[in-house]
Amino acid sequence: MAELREEFDRWERRESAVLKVLPYPLLAVSLVFTLLQPLWNAPVHLPGVLGLSALLVAWLLWFHTLHPGLHDRARVMALYYAGLVAVTACLVVLSPWFGFFAFIGYVHAFQYLEGRWRYVGVAVTAAVSAVSHVGGADSIAAGLWWQWPAVSAVTAVLATVAFYSDVMSDRRDHRQKRALAELEAALAENAALQARLLVRAREAGVLDERQRMAREIHDTLAQGLAGVLTQLQAAEQASDDPAESRRHVANAVGLARESLTEARRSVHAVGPSALARARLPEAIGDVARRWSEVHRVEAVLTTTGEVRPMHTDVEVALLRTAQEALANVAKHARAGRVALTLSYMEDLVTLDVLDDGVGFAPDARPAGGSADGGFGLAGMRQRAGLLAGRLDVESEPGGGTAITVTVPAIPAGGEG
């Protein structure tokens, strides 16, 4: 695009340079042929020719060459054109060879006149040129006067057609140039917009990665460390019972190993190890079983519907929700039993986690726990929201808590 625009500008510069000097070689050719007329016994009014030629050069230099600032002043240039045609007509009367120079009248009519006056200038120039075409003023005076208006009319028509075609071509060139300029501006604006979008996309990507890491840290390290701390505290409290104390220490070591493995997988954006080994129902069942062994609370998983592979993000969201819900039960609920239900439907997959613990008022922060301001319920709700799903929480003091997460049933074939 820039190359095409540069080509247009280069062509205009060359044309402008040619038109700027064109009058002088045309005048020189006309003058040379006029001065050679005595060689074939044609008389020349030398003082008149030289005087008018000098006047014409001065007229051209002043208005056309030396003062380009006058070119935008329509009345001044109309005066210039009138003087140009008048002096040219006198020279053509003196010598028909100045018909060569008369051609410049067409060019300057296009350059310096406006609107319909351009066509008036073309007609007048055609009349002046016709004197040269019929052999000069002597031929007209010798009885061939009728040829001059006829040739003038034909020349005027041909010149007008050519002039009109040139005007249309010039307008088309200007439209193309304007279109190129508008297209370049649009492309520049589009490039700037694309750059801004790339910056925003990078910023959004950084933010998404931070949120992902925050969720993964909470779901792996934070939960794991909380479990390790709970088991170590239990081991300290059971110091009078060596077997029970060793069991809690063993649980703490196991939790620490699992948390370290999950943390490494999170750093590399790899899915949970439980899903790498088994399908979603088995993975949630394994989480519930290990959680039950550690906390000595019954946790039972029930699966309904046709089990089928789901998109990785769907399975990760449901597994992390199960882990977080069980962690919240361990920290806050003081429950004796937890029931998990994984339901596969045609368009949705739901996970229900119901405990018989102390419950809480949904509009209040759970005692000692995180509400929507942290990464507990808020983290679960955010995971569901990223999949166009939702999280529902039902609870009341003394009545236990029910958490339901619902996400679209996106099949595994929809990945990538």
Side-chain angles (χ1 to χ4, degrees):
M1 190 61 61
E3 291 80 0
L4 187 58
R5 177 74 177 275
E6 185 177 348
E7 183 63 26
F8 264 111
D9 293 340
R10 191 182 304 116
W11 181 84
E12 284 192 348
R13 287 194 299 269
R14 285 200 298 263
E15 182 186 41
S16 178
V18 170
L19 294 179
K20 190 173 184 179
V21 301
L22 182 61
Y24 303 105
L26 289 178
L27 181 59
V29 169
S30 300
L31 184 59
V32 167
F33 276 104
T34 298
L35 295 177
L36 292 176
Q37 280 187 195
L39 296 179
W40 49 82
N41 299 320
V44 178
H45 192 281
L46 196 58
V49 168
L50 294 178
L52 290 174
S53 297
L55 175 60
L56 196 53
V57 170
W59 194 259
L60 286 166
L61 285 172
W62 182 265
F63 289 98
H64 173 67
T65 306
L66 299 180
H67 297 89
L70 298 175
H71 295 176
D72 294 329
R73 299 171 62 177
R75 292 186 178 181
V76 172
M77 296 315 293
L79 173 64
Y80 156 75
Y81 189 80
L84 175 72
V85 173
V87 176
T88 302
C90 294
L91 285 170
V92 170
V93 169
L94 292 175
S95 172
W97 292 110
F98 281 94
F100 287 113
F101 177 78
F103 173 79
I104 206 66
Y106 298 121
V107 178
H108 285 190
F110 178 78
Q111 280 188 288
Y112 299 133
L113 299 182
E114 297 180 350
R116 295 181 179 178
W117 287 107
R118 287 179 168 179
Y119 297 96
V120 173
V122 169
V124 173
T125 300
V128 172
S129 299
V131 175
S132 174
H133 298 331
V134 300
D138 293 340
S139 297
I140 297 175
L144 299 177
W145 61 268
W146 56 271
Q147 293 183 351
W148 175 65
V151 173
S152 296
V154 173
T155 304
V157 170
L158 295 177
T160 300
V161 171
F163 185 82
Y164 180 79
S165 176
D166 197 39
V167 169
M168 292 299 101
S169 177
D170 184 69
R171 289 179 180 176
R172 184 169 58 253
D173 290 343
H174 278 82
R175 284 197 299 268
Q176 290 176 347
K177 189 174 181 180
R178 185 167 58 250
L180 281 175
E182 292 174 354
L183 182 57
E184 284 185 352
L187 290 174
E189 183 179 358
N190 184 61
L193 177 60
Q194 186 176 11
R196 290 196 296 270
L197 289 176
L198 287 174
V199 170
R200 292 180 181 178
R202 282 195 292 268
E203 292 174 350
V206 171
L207 179 59
D208 289 344
E209 181 63 13
R210 288 176 178 173
Q211 292 176 343
R212 184 191 72 81
M213 289 300 298
R215 290 192 300 269
E216 294 298 327
I217 288 173
H218 175 269
D219 293 342
T220 56
L221 292 179
Q223 288 183 7
L225 290 175
V228 169
L229 181 59
T230 299
Q231 292 302 312
L232 292 177
Q233 289 174 340
E236 184 180 6
Q237 293 171 359
S239 58
D240 295 336
D241 185 346
E244 183 69 10
S245 178
R246 284 194 299 272
R247 186 182 72 81
H248 286 301
V249 171
N251 288 337
V253 172
L255 286 172
R257 288 198 180 107
E258 290 178 7
S259 298
L260 181 59
T261 299
E262 292 299 322
R264 287 171 176 167
R265 295 177 69 87
S266 297
V267 168
H268 297 288
V270 180
S273 58
L275 290 175
R277 298 190 303 265
R279 295 195 300 175
L280 180 61
E282 288 78 9
I284 294 179
D286 186 54
V287 167
R289 179 184 57 76
R290 287 186 285 110
W291 180 88
S292 181
E293 291 174 355
V294 170
H295 297 283
R296 298 292 183 90
V297 177
E298 182 183 7
V300 179
L301 171 67
T302 301
T303 302
T304 66
E306 180 185 354
V307 177
R308 55 195 186 276
M310 290 289 132
H311 191 285
T312 300
D313 291 343
V314 172
E315 295 193 343
V316 169
L318 293 171
L319 179 64
R320 293 303 192 200
T321 298
Q323 292 173 325
E324 177 62 24
L326 290 172
N328 285 344
V329 171
K331 287 188 288 185
H332 311 302
R334 299 196 294 275
R337 187 176 186 277
V338 180
L340 298 93
T341 303
L342 179 63
S343 303
Y344 287 86
M345 292 170 276
E346 182 178 357
D347 299 321
L348 301 172
V349 182
T350 64
L351 175 67
D352 299 289
V353 182
L354 175 64
D355 69 70
D356 60 357
V358 298
F360 66 95
D363 57 349
R365 181 186 295 271
S370 60
D372 281 1
F375 283 98
L377 295 178
M380 290 188 280
R381 182 169 283 112
Q382 187 180 52
R383 280 188 181 278
L386 290 174
L387 296 170
R390 72 176 189 274
L391 179 78
D392 298 307
V393 180
E394 296 181 8
S395 183
E396 61 180 15
T401 300
I403 293 178
T404 301
V405 61
T406 305
V407 293
I410 305 173
E415 296 187 50

